[in-house]
Protein backbone atom coordinates (compact mmCIF):
# COMPACT_ATOMS: atom_id res chain seq x y z
CA UNK A 1 0.00 0.00 0.00
CA UNK A 2 1.16 3.54 -0.70
CA UNK A 3 1.91 5.68 2.25
CA UNK A 4 4.38 7.39 4.50
CA UNK A 5 6.05 5.52 7.34
CA UNK A 6 7.81 6.90 10.37
CA UNK A 7 9.88 4.84 12.75
CA UNK A 8 10.18 4.24 15.57
CA UNK A 9 6.85 5.21 17.12
CA UNK A 10 8.50 5.88 20.49
CA UNK A 11 12.11 6.87 21.08
CA UNK A 12 14.01 7.58 24.24
CA UNK A 13 17.24 9.52 24.25
CA UNK A 14 19.77 10.31 26.92
CA UNK A 15 20.90 13.89 27.21
CA UNK A 16 23.89 14.62 24.98
CA UNK A 17 23.09 11.92 22.43
CA UNK A 18 22.14 12.35 18.81
CA UNK A 19 19.18 10.35 17.52
CA UNK A 20 17.83 9.84 14.01
CA UNK A 21 14.15 9.57 13.15
CA UNK A 22 13.24 7.70 9.99
CA UNK A 23 10.71 8.81 7.37
CA UNK A 24 10.03 6.80 4.20
CA UNK A 25 7.37 7.35 1.55
CA UNK A 26 6.38 5.33 -1.50
CA UNK A 27 3.98 7.91 -2.93
CA UNK A 28 6.52 9.21 -5.45
CA UNK A 29 6.24 12.67 -3.89
CA UNK A 30 8.96 15.20 -4.58
CA UNK A 31 8.49 17.21 -1.40
CA UNK A 32 9.00 16.05 2.17
CA UNK A 33 8.66 17.91 5.47
CA UNK A 34 9.46 17.57 9.15
CA UNK A 35 7.27 19.19 11.79
CA UNK A 36 7.50 19.33 15.54
CA UNK A 37 4.31 19.33 17.62
CA UNK A 38 4.15 20.55 21.21
CA UNK A 39 0.96 20.93 23.26
CA UNK A 40 -0.74 24.22 22.45
CA UNK A 41 1.86 25.09 19.80
CA UNK A 42 0.41 23.43 16.74
CA UNK A 43 2.83 22.25 14.08
CA UNK A 44 6.13 24.03 13.54
CA UNK A 45 8.23 23.41 10.45
CA UNK A 46 11.76 22.12 11.11
CA UNK A 47 13.11 21.34 7.63
CA UNK A 48 11.69 20.72 4.19
CA UNK A 49 12.93 19.35 0.91
CA UNK A 50 11.39 20.03 -2.47
CA UNK A 51 13.69 17.73 -4.41
CA UNK A 52 16.41 15.11 -3.91
CA UNK A 53 19.76 16.44 -2.65
CA UNK A 54 18.23 19.75 -1.64
CA UNK A 55 16.64 20.89 1.61
CA UNK A 56 15.81 24.14 3.38
CA UNK A 57 15.55 25.26 6.99
CA UNK A 58 12.12 25.83 8.39
CA UNK A 59 11.12 28.00 11.32
CA UNK A 60 12.87 26.00 14.07
CA UNK A 61 15.85 24.26 12.39
CA UNK A 62 18.41 24.91 15.15
CA UNK A 63 19.63 21.67 16.74
CA UNK A 64 18.34 19.50 13.89
CA UNK A 65 19.84 18.16 10.67
CA UNK A 66 18.43 16.30 7.67
CA UNK A 67 19.53 14.61 4.47
CA UNK A 68 17.72 13.83 1.23
CA UNK A 69 19.87 11.34 -0.65
CA UNK A 70 16.89 9.42 -2.00
CA UNK A 71 13.46 10.58 -3.08
CA UNK A 72 11.80 8.12 -0.75
CA UNK A 73 13.69 8.98 2.42
CA UNK A 74 14.07 12.10 4.57
CA UNK A 75 15.67 11.22 7.93
CA UNK A 76 15.82 13.78 10.73
CA UNK A 77 18.66 13.85 13.25
CA UNK A 78 18.01 15.49 16.59
CA UNK A 79 21.41 16.60 17.80
CA UNK A 80 22.69 17.27 21.30
CA UNK A 81 22.50 20.98 20.43
CA UNK A 82 18.70 20.83 20.56
CA UNK A 83 17.98 22.03 24.09
CA UNK A 84 14.41 20.81 24.43
CA UNK A 85 13.96 17.83 22.12
CA UNK A 86 11.08 16.09 23.89
CA UNK A 87 8.16 16.40 21.45
CA UNK A 88 6.02 14.62 18.89
CA UNK A 89 7.65 14.67 15.44
CA UNK A 90 5.62 14.42 12.25
CA UNK A 91 6.90 13.76 8.76
CA UNK A 92 4.85 14.63 5.67
CA UNK A 93 5.19 14.40 1.92
CA UNK A 94 3.44 16.06 -0.98
CA UNK A 95 3.74 17.29 -4.53
CA UNK A 96 5.78 20.37 -5.25
CA UNK A 97 4.16 23.77 -5.58
CA UNK A 98 1.39 24.43 -6.15
CA UNK A 99 0.85 22.01 -3.32
CA UNK A 100 -2.33 20.07 -3.23
CA UNK A 101 -2.15 18.22 0.07
CA UNK A 102 0.33 16.81 2.52
CA UNK A 103 0.25 13.17 3.61
CA UNK A 104 1.42 12.54 7.15
CA UNK A 105 3.13 9.67 8.88
CA UNK A 106 1.92 8.44 12.26
CA UNK A 107 4.55 10.36 14.15
CA UNK A 108 7.46 9.61 16.49
CA UNK A 109 7.30 10.58 20.13
CA UNK A 110 10.78 11.45 21.36
CA UNK A 111 11.48 11.63 25.08
CA UNK A 112 14.73 12.72 26.65
CA UNK A 113 15.54 10.76 29.82
CA UNK B 1 4.79 36.31 7.81
CA UNK B 2 1.94 33.95 7.09
CA UNK B 3 -0.37 33.19 9.98
CA UNK B 4 -3.33 30.89 10.56
CA UNK B 5 -5.50 31.40 13.64
CA UNK B 6 -8.00 29.06 15.28
CA UNK B 7 -9.76 28.81 18.61
CA UNK B 8 -8.14 26.20 20.84
CA UNK B 9 -11.31 24.47 22.09
CA UNK B 10 -14.88 23.80 20.99
CA UNK B 11 -17.41 21.84 23.03
CA UNK B 12 -20.64 20.54 21.48
CA UNK B 13 -23.36 18.07 22.38
CA UNK B 14 -23.55 14.76 20.55
CA UNK B 15 -25.93 15.09 17.61
CA UNK B 16 -25.49 18.87 17.27
CA UNK B 17 -23.50 20.57 14.52
CA UNK B 18 -19.92 21.67 15.17
CA UNK B 19 -18.53 24.75 13.50
CA UNK B 20 -14.77 25.27 13.65
CA UNK B 21 -13.50 28.62 12.44
CA UNK B 22 -10.16 29.72 11.05
CA UNK B 23 -8.64 32.94 9.75
CA UNK B 24 -5.56 33.19 7.56
CA UNK B 25 -3.38 35.97 6.23
CA UNK B 26 -1.84 34.61 3.01
CA UNK B 27 -4.09 35.85 0.22
CA UNK B 28 -2.07 33.92 -2.37
CA UNK B 29 -3.08 30.50 -1.02
CA UNK B 30 -4.29 28.25 -3.79
CA UNK B 31 -5.89 25.69 -1.51
CA UNK B 32 -7.07 25.66 2.09
CA UNK B 33 -7.24 22.45 4.09
CA UNK B 34 -8.79 20.84 7.10
CA UNK B 35 -6.91 18.04 8.86
CA UNK B 36 -8.00 15.81 11.74
CA UNK B 37 -5.64 14.41 14.38
CA UNK B 38 -6.66 11.69 16.80
CA UNK B 39 -4.60 11.12 19.98
CA UNK B 40 -1.07 9.87 19.33
CA UNK B 41 -1.55 9.77 15.57
CA UNK B 42 -0.54 11.74 12.51
CA UNK B 43 -2.75 14.19 10.66
CA UNK B 44 -5.41 12.92 8.31
CA UNK B 45 -6.69 15.11 5.50
CA UNK B 46 -10.43 15.65 5.90
CA UNK B 47 -11.19 17.97 3.05
CA UNK B 48 -9.83 20.91 1.12
CA UNK B 49 -11.23 23.78 -0.88
CA UNK B 50 -9.84 25.57 -3.90
CA UNK B 51 -9.48 29.29 -3.33
CA UNK B 52 -11.93 30.28 -6.07
CA UNK B 53 -14.74 28.30 -4.43
CA UNK B 54 -16.88 29.54 -1.57
CA UNK B 55 -18.42 26.25 -0.45
CA UNK B 56 -17.70 22.56 -0.59
CA UNK B 57 -19.82 19.78 0.85
CA UNK B 58 -18.73 16.22 1.48
CA UNK B 59 -21.22 14.05 3.40
CA UNK B 60 -21.35 15.46 6.95
CA UNK B 61 -18.67 18.04 6.25
CA UNK B 62 -19.28 21.52 4.85
CA UNK B 63 -16.46 23.97 4.20
CA UNK B 64 -17.22 27.65 3.78
CA UNK B 65 -14.64 30.10 2.47
CA UNK B 66 -14.96 33.87 2.66
CA UNK B 67 -11.98 35.00 0.66
CA UNK B 68 -12.63 38.70 1.23
CA UNK B 69 -12.44 38.26 5.02
CA UNK B 70 -9.88 35.40 4.79
CA UNK B 71 -12.15 33.24 6.88
CA UNK B 72 -12.56 29.49 6.59
CA UNK B 73 -14.97 27.29 8.52
CA UNK B 74 -15.63 23.58 8.87
CA UNK B 75 -19.10 22.42 9.80
CA UNK B 76 -19.61 18.85 11.00
CA UNK B 77 -23.26 17.84 10.97
CA UNK B 78 -24.66 15.39 13.54
CA UNK B 79 -21.45 15.34 15.59
CA UNK B 80 -20.56 11.91 16.97
CA UNK B 81 -18.14 10.77 19.69
CA UNK B 82 -15.79 9.56 16.96
CA UNK B 83 -15.41 13.15 15.79
CA UNK B 84 -13.58 13.99 19.01
CA UNK B 85 -10.10 15.08 17.85
CA UNK B 86 -7.93 18.09 17.10
CA UNK B 87 -8.82 19.85 13.85
CA UNK B 88 -6.18 21.84 12.01
CA UNK B 89 -6.76 24.50 9.43
CA UNK B 90 -3.94 24.98 6.93
CA UNK B 91 -3.17 27.10 3.94
CA UNK B 92 -0.65 26.32 1.26
CA UNK B 93 0.84 26.97 -2.11
CA UNK B 94 4.27 28.07 -1.04
CA UNK B 95 7.59 26.26 -1.43
CA UNK B 96 7.72 25.47 2.27
CA UNK B 97 4.45 23.57 2.19
CA UNK B 98 1.48 24.22 4.43
CA UNK B 99 1.09 26.70 7.27
CA UNK B 100 -0.96 25.21 10.09
CA UNK B 101 -3.06 26.77 12.78
CA UNK B 102 -2.56 25.60 16.36
CA UNK B 103 -5.53 23.26 16.13
CA UNK B 104 -9.00 23.23 17.67
CA UNK B 105 -9.78 20.53 20.22
CA UNK B 106 -13.34 19.32 19.55
CA UNK B 107 -14.92 17.99 22.73
CA UNK B 108 -18.16 16.01 22.48
CA UNK B 109 -20.58 16.09 25.40
CA UNK B 110 -22.93 13.08 25.74
Amino acid sequence: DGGITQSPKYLFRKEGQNVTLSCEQNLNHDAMYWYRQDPGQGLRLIYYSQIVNDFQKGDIAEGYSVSREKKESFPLTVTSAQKNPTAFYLCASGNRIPNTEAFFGQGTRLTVV
Amino acid sequence: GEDVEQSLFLSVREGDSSVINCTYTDSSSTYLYWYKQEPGAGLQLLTYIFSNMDMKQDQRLTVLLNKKDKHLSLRIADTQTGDSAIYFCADGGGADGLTFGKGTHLIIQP
Side-chain angles (χ1 to χ4, degrees):
Chain A
D1 285 354
I4 181 164
T5 303
Q6 290 186 242
S7 62
K9 190 169 173 64
Y10 300 97
L11 187 58
F12 296 88
R13 189 195 94 172
K14 291 183 180 178
E15 286 192 23
Q17 284 184 338
N18 293 354
V19 288
T20 297
L21 283 60
S22 170
C23 179
E24 303 276 334
Q25 54 99 0
N26 60 4
L27 300 165
N28 200 34
H29 285 157
D30 287 313
M32 296 186 75
Y33 311 87
W34 274 106
Y35 294 91
R36 171 179 170 142
Q37 187 178 23
D38 297 282
Q41 295 277 343
L43 274 68
R44 292 185 289 169
L45 183 65
I46 305 172
Y47 268 97
Y48 64 99
S49 168
Q50 289 286 327
I51 199 166
V52 175
N53 292 322
D54 186 55
F55 49 83
Q56 306 295 329
K57 291 182 179 180
D59 300 319
I60 56 164
E62 186 175 348
Y64 299 97
S65 65
V66 292
S67 63
R68 187 85 188 276
E69 297 175 1
K70 297 188 297 181
K71 188 175 186 178
E72 302 80 18
S73 179
F74 191 41
L76 173 75
T77 296
V78 184
T79 75
S80 57
Q82 171 48 239
K83 296 305 178 192
N84 186 20
T86 295
F88 190 51
Y89 290 87
L90 287 161
C91 179
S93 70
N95 293 317
R96 279 195 287 171
I97 52 172
N99 283 313
T100 50
E101 61 192 84
F103 292 82
F104 281 83
Q106 288 299 300
T108 293
R109 184 163 298 280
L110 173 64
T111 303
V112 173
V113 297
Chain B
E2 298 169 19
D3 200 13
V4 177
E5 298 283 343
Q6 304 177 237
S7 302
L8 286 184
F9 295 97
L10 175 67
S11 178
V12 298
R13 291 189 182 277
E14 191 173 359
D16 287 352
S17 291
S18 306
V19 180
I20 304 171
N21 294 302
C22 168
T23 58
Y24 62 97
T25 58
D26 185 2
S27 58
S28 67
S29 295
T30 309
Y31 296 92
L32 295 127
Y33 306 86
W34 284 103
Y35 282 84
K36 177 182 181 182
Q37 185 182 34
E38 296 182 351
L43 274 67
Q44 170 196 359
L45 179 69
L46 276 181
T47 187
Y48 64 90
I49 187 167
F50 191 51
S51 58
N52 70 352
M53 297 170 64
D54 50 23
M55 188 181 89
K56 180 179 179 181
Q57 187 153 3
D58 183 2
Q59 299 182 346
R60 291 193 298 125
L61 305 178
T62 303
V63 179
L64 295 178
L65 174 61
N66 181 328
K67 200 170 179 182
K68 174 177 168 289
D69 294 339
K70 296 180 187 170
H71 182 267
L72 183 73
S73 68
L74 173 70
R75 179 177 178 269
I76 305 172
D78 187 24
T79 308
Q80 303 298 309
T81 54
D83 295 323
S84 179
I86 304 175
Y87 290 82
F88 289 91
C89 171
D91 70 1
D96 58 351
L98 304 181
T99 300
F100 289 87
K102 292 186 177 180
T104 299
H105 292 243
L106 179 61
I107 299 162
I108 316 300
Q109 300 172 31

